Amino acid sequence: MSECGRLSDRMIEVLHLRSNWAAGEVTHLAGCPDCRAEWRVLEAARGLGAAVANRVDPERLGPRVLAGVAAARRRARWLRAGWLGGLAAAAAVTLLLWSPWGNRTRRTTPERELLVPLAELEGLTTQQLEGLLDQFAAPLGSAAASDAPGLGDLGDEELEQVLNTLEG
């Protein structure tokens, strides 16, 4: 390290009266214009802060700074809570719109309604399913509903089919 670099590092210690100049350092400071200019800048900077330091009352400033920090923390906490609340509301709206509960107002097509799997209907043929659909499509008390056979009208094979479908 050069003499100028070493002297530059020690200037702060000497400025704050933590150390004194050695004889060789004083000689170098007197002969080096760069080191002398740096020393003058440091001494001038120390004088700038002295006027402000005399006007600051630490007894009054401390509580005000702490109150400002506490207010900043409260604002940050409220801001985080606001963001979290907003995100939760957005998630709730999204879930409501994409969930089955949010789809109640949508109209479904008859084809979509027929896709509901029923174990009781799995063993029926296409002709039997169409006949069943015709009976459901007719209003109650109409001729199509009254034409349906009762259990006494069914043969042994037809009763067995009914029992098999009920047993699953």
Side-chain angles (χ1 to χ4, degrees):
M1 179 184 283
S2 69
E3 183 68 22
C4 290
R6 196 176 64 71
L7 194 65
S8 179
D9 290 344
R10 288 205 6 93
M11 283 184 187
I12 297 296
E13 292 178 13
V14 173
L15 186 67
H16 291 295
L17 305 174
R18 287 184 250 151
S19 180
N20 291 322
W21 294 119
E25 293 170 341
V26 171
T27 306
H28 178 82
L29 191 60
C32 179
D34 291 335
C35 291
R36 240 187 352 264
E38 184 178 355
W39 178 248
R40 279 194 303 269
V41 167
L42 288 174
E43 283 182 320
R46 184 178 70 176
L48 291 175
V52 174
N54 291 336
R55 291 193 325 229
V56 173
D57 182 14
E59 297 297 323
R60 286 184 28 204
L61 184 62
R64 291 178 66 187
V65 168
L66 291 176
V69 169
R73 282 184 181 167
R74 277 193 303 274
R75 279 191 305 272
R77 198 175 314 128
W78 276 103
L79 187 61
R80 277 193 308 270
W83 273 103
L84 288 175
L87 287 174
V93 167
T94 302
L95 284 175
L96 183 65
L97 291 177
W98 283 348
S99 70
W101 303 288
N103 295 336
R104 289 185 182 173
T105 58
R106 293 186 188 165
R107 299 215 178 259
T108 57
T109 61
E111 295 85 28
R112 186 168 178 181
E113 290 176 2
L114 289 177
L115 294 178
V116 176
L118 294 173
E120 295 83 11
L121 300 178
E122 285 181 8
L124 297 178
T125 65
T126 305
Q127 185 180 5
Q128 291 169 332
L129 285 172
E130 287 176 356
L132 195 62
L133 182 60
D134 289 339
Q135 288 180 0
F136 283 124
L140 292 177
S142 69
S146 63
D147 292 344
L151 286 178
D153 298 335
L154 298 177
D156 291 340
E157 190 176 300
E158 293 169 333
L159 282 172
E160 190 174 330
Q161 282 182 346
V162 171
L163 286 174
N164 285 340
T165 59
L166 290 176
E167 290 174 356

